[in-house]
Amino acid sequence: MSHTTERPTGRAPGSPATPRALVPVLAFAGIVVAVMQTLLVPVIKDLPQLLDTAPGDATWVLTSTLLSGAVATPIMGRLGDLYGKRRMLVASLSVMVVGALVSAATSALVPMIVGRTLQGFAMGAIPLGIGLMRDLLPRERLGSAMALMSSSIGVGGGLALPAAALVAQNTDWHVLFYGAAGLGALAIALTLTVVPESPTRAKGSFDLPGALGLSLGLVLLLLPVTKGSDWGWSSTTTLGLFAGSVAVLLLWGAYELRAKAPLVDLRTTARPAVLFTNLASIMVGVAFYVVSLVLPQLLQLPESTGYGLGQSMVVAGLLVAPLGLTMMFTAPVYSRLSARHGPKVTLIIGLLIIAVGYGAGLGMMSAAWQALVIAIVLGAGIGLAYSSLPALIVGAVPASETGAANGLNTLMRSIGTSVSSAVVGMVLANTANTVGGVAIPTMHGFRVSFLIATAAVVVGLLLALCLPKQRAAGDHRLRASSEEDASLERARLAAKADEAVTA
């Protein structure tokens, strides 16, 4: 296997010529991608009527985006390592824009699913952006930059909720997709103007059999996770797909271990620092999505239920929006904490704050202001946790594998949110009261959902405690994470020492 790196002469990572606007532009691209995930949340309940289809079929509009995003994330990360992260970032955003325009031009189910599938491909932009930051930024800026990029998923989701609700409430719902296409086009233009291509390349060829095997295994896994409540968790279809996913992923793993240039280096992935970070990422993904599912419904339920807070769609979105905003504002806080204590400790602190937020939330569901407090506390905890994940991954893999490794980590978060959606959806459905033929979620269901999130956080804490001990980055720099980086660091220090002697 060869994952060595080529550094062309020209702009070196962290050189003064690196544009100051690089971080905001990449973070904006991440936010635009995240918008795709929550774009239709305000109109979910109306999709069957809007698309003139059955409720079970309408859910494919959401499922298709999830599946394509899960498949595209590790693949685009590896393609970025091989052929250029900026190039693949622009390609991901371009496919998203095409998908948004397809969805904007139709009210039929099948074309809508096609458009939403294309939009999901943009999820690869998150690990590509993190990889570009690692390759181009000086070390003193890298920690906070990666924290902001990693949190962009929550930021975009939080900001999209009130904006999408406002649009859906006052204009034709297709405007949501035209707006998304416009944001995507702006992100492409800014990327082409501001972001230079990464000089770092991995040698080797693209592992097409590995990509096909991973794609099939993920689809077989995530399809029953997202549709199990509709098909029945004990149905032949659900169990058969789960069994098929296990078989395919085992065969895929055996192939990857023998491949000369695998899509995913499983030996690197098995390192404790990478393995436990990825497993903890699943738990953080579960915790993040629970609040996104519960609070909007609680806020919008009518007060006549005895526990609903009776807020409009727009007001509910505004009250949940601080979840994403707080995640964004925790990036500089993360940088200071990580510089002093390391990303492992910062991850643990973030998970503890999430646990406090959900624990307090069990008794704080009776007023709109309480929902706002829950969103802010959970946003702070999730922001710290999400910010820690890329630093842990980057600190454990070679530079030439950054895109693929962060792609896999982003995939782990997606699996967490998928599991969260399925489990919480099942809980709310099984605990709902039927009034006038309509299933109404109950307070008991909301509290059970919060308990599930708390349990996921506890598991995440145990996994985080198993991470290898790391030195704190007291000089605000990430440690060299590969033989190549270590050599570069030694060369830089030697050159600095020579300059001092000469002086």
Side-chain angles (χ1 to χ4, degrees):
M1 181 189 72
S2 175
H3 280 302
T4 56
T5 306
E6 295 177 352
R7 288 192 186 274
T9 57
R11 189 196 309 273
S15 69
T18 301
R20 298 293 301 179
L22 182 140
V23 174
V25 167
L26 291 176
F28 175 71
I31 290 171
V32 171
V33 169
V35 167
M36 295 298 104
Q37 306 300 305
T38 54
L39 190 66
L40 292 181
V41 169
V43 296
I44 285 178
K45 64 181 184 302
D46 301 320
L47 280 178
Q49 179 183 355
L50 295 172
L51 298 173
D52 191 23
T53 189
D57 293 333
T59 59
W60 284 102
V61 174
L62 303 177
T63 303
S64 59
T65 307
L66 169 70
L67 293 177
S68 62
V71 168
T73 298
I75 292 176
M76 295 304 291
R78 178 60 181 154
L79 287 172
D81 287 338
L82 286 169
Y83 305 116
K85 299 178 181 70
R86 174 179 178 264
R87 181 180 300 171
M88 291 302 113
L89 174 59
V90 171
S92 297
L93 293 171
S94 298
V95 173
M96 184 201 76
V97 170
V98 171
L101 292 175
V102 169
S103 297
T106 185
S107 294
L109 179 63
V110 174
M112 180 63 67
I113 291 175
V114 171
R116 291 289 290 166
T117 300
L118 293 175
Q119 290 165 50
F121 273 88
M123 278 301 294
I126 304 295
L128 289 169
I130 292 172
L132 280 165
M133 289 174 175
R134 189 251 171 86
D135 295 344
L136 296 170
L137 290 175
R139 294 182 185 276
E140 63 269 15
R141 292 179 57 196
L142 185 53
S144 60
M146 289 196 307
L148 181 60
M149 190 71 194
S150 182
S151 299
S152 64
I153 297 178
V155 175
L159 296 179
L161 280 174
L166 187 63
V167 171
Q169 191 168 285
N170 295 285
T171 64
D172 181 81
W173 67 291
H174 291 93
V175 174
L176 292 170
F177 295 110
Y178 285 117
L183 289 174
L186 178 59
I188 292 172
L190 290 173
T191 300
L192 291 173
T193 303
V194 173
V195 181
E197 182 56 273
S198 165
T200 305
R201 292 286 193 281
K203 287 184 177 179
S205 58
F206 181 68
D207 179 16
L208 182 59
L212 293 174
L214 179 60
S215 300
L216 179 59
L218 289 174
V219 170
L220 292 175
L221 172 65
L222 293 177
L223 195 55
V225 167
T226 55
K227 300 291 289 183
S229 58
D230 295 331
W231 295 340
W233 292 104
S234 60
S235 68
T236 302
T237 301
T238 301
L239 296 178
L241 288 172
F242 276 131
S245 71
V246 172
V248 170
L249 290 174
L250 286 175
L251 291 172
W252 171 78
Y255 171 82
E256 290 293 283
L257 288 172
R258 296 182 179 183
K260 292 183 178 180
L263 178 72
V264 177
D265 188 339
L266 294 180
R267 291 180 177 85
T268 298
T269 305
R271 294 175 185 171
V274 180
L275 177 62
F276 288 115
T277 298
N278 283 333
L279 293 176
S281 299
I282 297 176
M283 298 301 111
V284 178
V286 170
F288 169 61
Y289 213 62
V290 169
V291 65
S292 304
L293 291 171
V294 168
L295 285 189
Q297 295 190 66
L298 174 65
L299 286 164
Q300 292 182 70
L301 282 174
E303 294 179 351
S304 58
T305 59
Y307 51 88
L309 301 180
Q311 304 297 317
S312 69
M313 184 189 302
V314 174
V315 172
L318 289 172
L319 288 169
V320 177
L323 176 74
L325 291 173
T326 308
M327 289 177 67
M328 179 173 65
F329 292 132
T330 56
V333 177
Y334 158 79
S335 183
R336 296 189 189 96
L337 285 174
S338 183
R340 175 169 296 185
H341 304 291
K344 173 184 174 178
V345 173
T346 312
L347 173 60
I348 292 172
I349 293 173
L351 288 167
L352 288 172
I353 294 174
I354 298 171
V356 170
Y358 276 117
L362 290 170
M364 293 180 63
M365 294 188 183
S366 57
W369 69 267
Q370 294 177 353
L372 177 63
V373 171
I374 293 172
I376 292 173
V377 173
L378 290 177
I382 295 169
L384 287 176
Y386 265 11
S387 298
S388 305
L389 299 176
L392 288 165
I393 293 294
V394 164
V397 302
S400 57
E401 296 180 31
T402 303
N406 274 300
L408 185 63
N409 183 255
T410 303
L411 171 62
M412 294 300 107
R413 299 189 223 175
S414 297
I415 290 176
T417 58
S418 302
V419 171
S420 178
S421 176
V423 173
V424 172
M426 179 178 62
V427 167
L428 294 181
N430 291 339
T431 58
N433 290 328
T434 302
V435 179
V438 179
I440 305 295
T442 63
M443 180 59 75
H444 174 64
F446 292 146
R447 289 198 170 110
V448 170
S449 299
F450 270 33
L451 285 172
I452 291 171
T454 305
V457 173
V458 171
V459 174
L461 273 170
L462 294 175
L463 292 166
L465 291 170
C466 292
L467 284 166
K469 186 177 181 180
Q470 293 184 329
R471 293 178 300 172
D475 57 354
H476 295 268
R477 299 178 301 171
L478 289 179
R479 289 181 300 153
S481 57
S482 66
E483 291 183 6
E484 174 214 10
D485 279 357
S487 299
L488 288 172
E489 185 68 6
R490 285 193 295 270
R492 186 187 68 80
L493 292 173
K496 191 173 182 179
D498 291 341
E499 290 176 2
V501 172
T502 303

